[in-house]
Amino acid sequence: MAEGREATDAVAERPVELAYRPTVDDIAAAIRTRAKSTGAGLFRRRLLIYTLVVTAVGVLLSTLGDGHRDTPWHLYLALAFIAFMTAVPRLQARQVHRLSERQGDFRAVVDETGIRLTTAHSSATLDWHLYPRYAETPELFVLLSADKSAVGVVVLPKRGLSNPEDAGRLRAILERHLVRADAAAAQDATPSRGRAVGRGAGVVGLLLLGLILFFFAYAAVQKAADPDAFPGLQHNNAPVSAISLILGVLALVGAWRIVRRMKVMRIVTAVLAAAVLLVGGGAALYRIGPMLHCWGSDRITQGPDGDYACYDF
């Protein structure tokens, strides 16, 4: 048995070797992984989500009502910002790839002492303390430097392993010397009083946003739903209401995700979100549901029997 343990230890301590050439996809995936593990990256993601929500609400407001309305210029600006932010990782990856491409093929040797990187034109030895965190994706191991912005990144593609079983050995070495980035983020995210207040304010804001969107969905089809007060053909705002309803549900989901790791606030948020969804969302869905079969129609009207007739002009 002693000989068996010695053989196992020898296999475990044997260095793991990788041979690869980084691609744009590798670098882009590493940049996205880094963004999930840094404060700046999380801020950019939240800003993008906020911009998406505001833009969607703006589009709804611009399309609601009688007659044709031009889309405001600031909505085009918001859409351009969203497209740019989405493309940033790819643009950065292309720039970095131009530099790495000059290095040719990479060879990495990972053992208990660190990582040795060798290319056709350079070589470097990286101690573990330089990259104390790591993250894993289906295709990569990504090592992150100690600074908050994780400026330094080491990409180890799994395809560079000569044996698929070496992925487990490499993972074991990293776990012995480094901390998983998601575990480090969870430790850093221990809720302080100020952070808890900020999250509480965010939850309240999203719950109110969901309620407003549900009210918007309900009110957008007021004319079509009340033929006594508004007789004749009405503009078909049912698609706008349906989109607003979906955005309201997403706002409630976002409120719950903010506090999903905080037991008490999670329960309170879930109860409030359920109440808003059942009351506001249920009322809106009850009103617009019978109109949805006229989704592609321009005008709509309610008949004496309560059914809606669709008209195209």
Side-chain angles (χ1 to χ4, degrees):
M1 293 182 63
E3 292 179 355
R5 282 196 301 270
E6 291 177 357
T8 302
D9 293 341
V11 172
E13 294 175 359
R14 182 162 54 87
V16 177
E17 298 185 4
L18 302 92
Y20 57 93
R21 174 170 290 196
T23 66
V24 175
D25 291 336
D26 292 337
I27 300 172
I31 292 174
R32 287 192 292 266
T33 301
R34 178 182 65 179
K36 296 178 182 178
S37 305
T38 61
L42 291 175
F43 173 78
R44 285 193 294 269
R45 290 176 62 193
R46 291 169 182 170
L47 178 61
L48 181 59
I49 293 173
Y50 173 80
T51 305
L52 279 169
V53 172
V54 172
T55 302
V57 173
V59 171
L60 290 175
L61 291 174
S62 67
T63 56
L64 181 63
D66 298 335
H68 175 73
R69 295 187 180 183
D70 295 331
T71 303
W73 65 268
H74 57 272
L75 292 182
Y76 290 113
L77 183 61
L79 291 173
F81 173 76
I82 293 170
F84 174 75
M85 292 294 292
T86 304
V88 162
R90 193 77 181 180
L91 296 175
Q92 292 177 331
R94 289 186 177 278
Q95 292 179 341
V96 175
H97 183 257
R98 292 193 187 99
L99 178 61
S100 65
E101 186 69 15
R102 299 175 184 175
Q103 301 292 326
D105 294 331
F106 281 65
R107 182 174 180 271
V109 179
V110 184
D111 57 21
E112 301 298 330
T113 62
I115 303 174
R116 292 185 294 280
L117 289 174
T118 305
T119 71
H121 305 288
S122 64
S123 62
T125 300
L126 309 175
D127 294 335
W128 291 120
H129 73 275
L130 295 176
Y131 295 88
R133 299 173 291 164
Y134 85 98
E136 183 179 356
T137 73
E139 295 83 20
L140 307 171
F141 289 99
V142 182
L143 280 60
L144 305 173
S145 58
D147 55 289
K148 292 183 179 180
S149 299
V151 174
V153 177
V154 175
V155 183
L156 301 175
K158 295 179 182 180
R159 68 174 184 280
L161 298 167
S162 59
N163 188 339
E165 296 178 356
D166 287 344
R169 294 179 48 234
L170 177 55
R171 185 183 300 108
I173 293 175
L174 297 179
E175 288 180 351
R176 283 196 293 272
H177 297 279
L178 309 180
V179 177
R180 289 186 68 95
D182 52 0
Q187 293 175 1
D188 295 339
T190 301
S192 62
R193 183 175 180 180
R195 186 170 296 174
V197 171
R199 290 188 176 185
V203 167
V204 172
L206 286 173
L207 290 176
L208 288 175
L209 176 62
L211 187 60
I212 291 171
L213 288 169
F214 290 153
F215 175 78
F216 180 86
Y218 185 87
V221 292
Q222 173 65 29
K223 292 183 178 181
D226 191 1
D228 294 333
F230 304 95
L233 297 179
Q234 303 296 334
H235 283 273
N236 181 20
N237 291 323
V240 175
S241 293
I243 296 173
S244 180
L245 188 61
I246 294 172
L247 290 175
V249 173
L250 293 178
L252 299 185
V253 172
W256 183 85
R257 284 184 60 84
I258 289 178
V259 293
R260 66 188 184 278
R261 295 177 181 173
M262 303 171 68
K263 185 175 181 180
V264 176
M265 289 188 66
R266 179 178 60 192
I267 296 174
V268 173
T269 301
V271 172
L272 293 175
V276 172
L277 180 62
L278 291 175
V279 177
L285 183 61
Y286 178 79
R287 168 170 278 192
I288 68 175
M291 307 178 187
L292 292 180
H293 70 282
C294 296
W295 185 277
S297 300
D298 180 63
R299 300 297 177 97
I300 190 172
T301 186
Q302 185 181 31
D305 55 356
D307 293 334
Y308 289 90
C310 317
Y311 297 90
D312 294 312
F313 295 97

